[in-house]
Amino acid sequence: MGAVSGIVAAVAGLAFAQLAAAAVRPESSPVTAVGGAAVDLTPVGVREWAIRLFGTSDKLVLTLGIVTVLAVVAALAGLLSVRHLPAGIAVAGGFGLLGAAAALSRPEATWRDALPSLLGGLIAAGVLYLLVTAATRPRTESGGGIWPMDRRGFGRLVAGVLAASVAAGYAGRRLGAHGSADATASRARFVLPPPTVPAPPVPAGADLRVPGLSPFLTPDRDFYRVDTALVVPRVDADTWRLRIHGEGVTRPLTLDLRELLSRPLVEHDITLTCVSNEVGGPYAGNARWLGVRLADLLREAGVRPPSRGGPADQLVSRSVDGMTIGTPVEAVMDGREALLAVGMNGVPLPFAHGFPVRMVVPGLYGYVSACKWLTELRLTTFGAYDAYWVRRSWAQQAPVKTQSRIDTPRPYADLAPGRVAVAGVAWAQHRGIERVEVRVDGGPWQQARLGAADGVDTWRQWVWPWEATPGRHTLEVRATDGTGAVQTGVRAGTVPDGATGWHSVEVQVKALG
């Protein structure tokens, strides 16, 4: 009964905290707040290991881990309460304080963010007191004996608490959904304006249509997502604002979405890559983006790049959830199509990819360029400010490194002898891909056939016909970028500024007969 009391108390505390978070903001929920704090405190090596092991499910695994730990501690608190009630109640209340501290540590937090966790801790402590005292206090039977509450009576009390908790949790979810309904409705109403500068059609032959090869344009649902948001922000486009200010800004700007869209809109195909992408990894995707040229907005605000005497060399973008990303001002204003994007593959940005506005800068890894749910642009210097990831051992500046990947055949595939299409993608954004080569078992490099180029800011598909012979073989690939630089074969990890090395795949070709 003690262990059950602890777990039920924790359920009640979380349920009522969820209800309170619906009135504050989703990020103030105890599990979300603790999870966010855990992400912030996790060493870089552990975080990269989690991304490798769990992929984009790392946030779900973290949440399940927090809930599991909470359940174990709650059961122990219940057992402790049977022997020493004040100590058990202190443990329950302590978790409320822990959640409140985590909530207050989050970017953009106010004192209100602590309230859901504090309420949850009080509810958990009160329910634990109720259940433990009910289970252990003596009661007089009609026959005169004195016994603690029987299991049936305890079960009815537990059922009542759980019913109230379910009601509170359901109400919290409904209120939370209602709170995001305006954002959902604003996206449903949002119609992308036609581009002032439309992108040309994807060249014929850019998509080689080889079975198993990544499509040239990545569908929104398949586009990778790597960020720290345990709860995807749902921003109301009608109330969204962007502030541009800082060093060298002579005309500060505050724009709503309508004002932003009154500027010329540019459509451009750009491949994005996450710095956590290991050699051959999946965290790269190609899309057609629609947005406003960031350089034009900065010039409108009076900003000059450092090469023209501007005092700021870093553009710090801030998300609605407090994430900060630092981008070189020179790169944003050097003529590349750096965009404040509002559209992706012909539709408004999905919430998971930054609706209503995000940054997209070709040639830079996402952690130094691709701020989602954008709300602020501040001009400063790299010497004066370290953005979120830089404070966690990543480099201040990170141009994308030339990479190539084998999509097919898959690792450890069993193949029939004869001709096999070895195919994949290669990228070197803002430099382009000039050549891709493949070799088998360390032999001579063989030039692959490239798909048509769609500018220098997208990946290129490639394919090489291999006459496979029986046995176990290792396939390797390397690329040469548009400057003539050959992709290095030296293996390096993702930290501090992106992985290097040649992607290899081992396959087994069956013997004839």
Side-chain angles (χ1 to χ4, degrees):
M1 287 185 181
V4 170
S5 298
I7 293 173
V8 171
V11 170
L14 288 178
F16 281 91
Q18 180 73 27
L19 177 59
V24 179
R25 62 174 184 147
E27 293 81 4
S28 65
S29 167
V31 172
T32 302
V34 171
V39 170
D40 289 349
L41 296 173
T42 299
V44 170
V46 175
R47 184 180 184 277
E48 292 299 290
W49 169 82
I51 291 176
R52 289 195 302 271
L53 185 62
F54 303 115
T56 54
S57 299
D58 58 340
K59 300 172 188 64
L60 174 61
V61 172
L62 173 61
T63 300
L64 292 176
I66 292 171
V67 172
T68 299
V69 170
L70 178 60
V72 171
V73 173
L76 293 175
L79 291 172
L80 177 62
S81 297
V82 174
R83 293 163 176 79
H84 194 275
L85 185 56
I89 291 176
V91 171
F95 262 77
L97 294 174
L98 176 64
L104 292 174
S105 74
R106 310 304 301 134
E108 310 298 309
T110 68
W111 64 269
R112 288 164 50 88
D113 291 289
L115 296 180
S117 292
L118 293 176
L119 175 64
L122 287 173
I123 294 291
V127 169
L128 185 60
Y129 175 83
L130 172 68
L131 293 178
V132 171
T133 54
T136 58
R137 73 170 179 260
R139 66 183 180 88
T140 303
E141 296 286 351
S142 57
I146 297 178
W147 304 89
M149 176 181 283
D150 60 22
R151 292 183 182 274
R152 183 175 299 176
F154 180 76
R156 286 194 295 268
L157 185 56
V158 166
V161 172
L162 289 177
S165 301
V166 169
Y170 177 76
R173 289 186 66 86
R174 292 291 296 176
L175 287 173
H178 179 74
S180 64
D182 290 342
T184 303
S186 72
R187 184 177 183 274
R189 290 192 303 268
F190 182 49
V191 177
L192 289 178
T196 312
V197 183
V202 174
D207 197 328
L208 298 175
R209 303 188 185 281
V210 176
L213 176 60
S214 300
F216 181 74
L217 289 175
T218 309
D220 296 358
R221 66 180 180 276
D222 298 329
F223 209 95
Y224 77 92
R225 178 193 163 212
V226 178
D227 54 50
T228 63
L230 271 68
V231 176
V232 173
R234 300 179 77 86
V235 181
D236 186 345
D238 297 331
T239 60
W240 175 86
R241 298 292 185 273
L242 172 66
R243 182 186 178 207
I244 303 176
H245 66 110
E247 294 183 41
V249 176
T250 59
R251 295 179 293 276
L253 298 175
T254 299
L255 305 173
D256 61 22
L257 189 58
R258 179 185 56 81
E259 291 169 328
L260 179 68
L261 296 178
S262 68
R263 274 77 176 168
L265 290 174
V266 176
E267 196 175 48
H268 194 59
D269 297 340
I270 301 172
T271 296
L272 297 186
T273 311
C274 179
V275 74
S276 294
N277 199 47
E278 292 193 306
V279 172
Y283 303 131
N286 188 44
R288 175 158 290 191
W289 305 92
L290 176 69
V292 175
R293 285 192 176 109
L294 180 52
D296 291 347
L297 268 182
L298 294 181
R299 292 190 189 98
E300 186 179 335
V303 176
R304 291 174 294 132
S307 60
R308 296 193 176 185
D313 60 4
Q314 179 179 204
L315 177 65
V316 176
S317 50
R318 182 178 293 271
S319 165
V320 296
D321 66 352
M323 169 59 66
T324 55
I325 287 177
T327 308
V329 174
E330 198 68 51
V332 168
M333 303 186 74
D334 67 0
R336 72 185 74 194
E337 294 289 13
L339 302 177
L340 295 188
V342 296
M344 179 181 184
N345 290 332
V347 299
L349 291 171
F351 283 111
H353 292 291
F355 181 82
V357 180
R358 69 169 295 167
M359 273 179 58
V360 178
V361 183
L364 303 179
Y365 284 115
Y367 87 98
V368 292
S369 67
C371 185
K372 294 183 283 192
W373 313 294
L374 182 66
T375 188
E376 180 189 5
L377 293 171
R378 181 169 66 90
L379 280 297
T380 183
T381 65
F382 283 107
Y385 183 80
D386 286 338
Y388 180 90
W389 291 115
V390 176
R391 296 195 297 270
R392 289 158 178 82
S393 302
W394 296 90
Q396 283 187 329
Q397 303 191 40
V400 171
K401 297 177 180 179
T402 302
Q403 282 291 315
S404 51
R405 184 180 75 201
I406 299 171
D407 286 348
T408 183
R410 306 296 295 173
Y412 310 113
D414 289 325
L415 307 174
R419 178 157 292 193
V420 173
V422 181
V425 289
W427 57 86
Q429 294 92 311
H430 205 53
R431 301 186 303 279
I433 293 294
E434 185 67 29
R435 184 169 63 252
V436 171
E437 299 166 293
V438 183
R439 70 178 180 180
V440 182
D441 298 330
W445 289 102
Q446 306 293 327
Q447 188 164 337
R449 177 169 66 91
L450 289 174
D454 183 22
V456 297
D457 292 332
T458 68
W459 60 18
R460 291 183 76 174
Q461 295 184 345
W462 58 267
V463 62
W464 177 66
W466 173 40
E467 295 296 334
T469 58
R472 185 172 295 278
H473 300 284
T474 299
L475 306 171
E476 290 178 291
V477 63
R478 71 179 184 185
T480 300
D481 70 16
T483 70
V486 180
Q487 176 185 348
T488 179
V490 177
R491 280 273 179 169
T494 56
V495 182
D497 60 358
T500 61
W502 298 329
H503 186 215
S504 63
V505 169
E506 193 171 288
V507 298
Q508 179 70 45
V509 180
K510 301 175 184 176
L512 292 170

